[in-house]
Amino acid sequence: MWALRGFDLDVPSEMGGAGGPGTNPEQLFAAGYAACFQSALLRIASGRKLDLGQSRITSHVSIGPDAGGAFGLAVTLDLDSPQLAREEAADLMARAHEVCPYSRATRGDINVELMVGGQAIAETADVA
């Protein structure tokens, strides 16, 4: 079990807060999701004997009101891996999205957009 202590948290000005120098829960979620997703991606790539040592996952998390008036999250996961063909990278992203614990835990509750090199990909229907 992990515990975080000693973080200065601030509410972003876009949400009515002071927008101070502290972090916010969305930034922490983005960091955790990116790290977990990268691990899932590396596991799948290693099974295919692919080297993703130079790859990077960038996670953007946004928060805003949903249709019901409550606040909801949206996530964009973007793979930068110039050594892979786009089709191969898109397939790896779709497969990682199926096994990543963050993706599985939030499926159906958070809109997640997968991208390769800054361009959205269509999720693969059959990723088994």
Side-chain angles (χ1 to χ4, degrees):
M1 174 185 287
W2 293 89
L4 295 175
R5 293 187 179 98
F7 279 91
D8 291 327
L9 297 176
D10 281 311
V11 177
S13 56
E14 298 85 357
M15 294 186 62
T23 190
N24 62 59
E26 294 75 34
Q27 291 169 325
L28 296 171
F29 183 75
Y33 202 155
C36 186
F37 197 89
Q38 178 84 10
S39 293
L41 193 70
L42 291 172
R43 190 181 80 199
I44 292 166
S46 71
R48 296 181 179 186
K49 307 290 189 236
L50 296 172
D51 178 15
L52 294 186
Q54 299 300 314
S55 70
R56 180 180 65 206
I57 291 287
T58 302
S59 175
H60 297 276
V61 174
S62 59
I63 186 170
D66 63 16
F71 280 92
L73 298 174
V75 175
T76 301
L77 297 168
D78 189 2
L79 172 62
D80 177 29
S81 189
Q83 70 271 32
L84 293 179
R86 178 170 174 74
E87 298 77 26
E88 188 168 40
D91 183 59
L92 286 173
M93 289 290 285
R95 291 176 189 277
H97 189 48
E98 290 300 313
V99 299
C100 170
Y102 274 66
S103 293
R104 292 180 53 212
T106 61
R107 194 168 326 283
D109 291 325
I110 294 178
N111 180 39
V112 177
E113 181 178 25
L114 302 177
M115 303 178 83
V116 172
Q119 296 180 342
I121 63 171
E123 289 191 52
T124 306
D126 179 18
V127 292

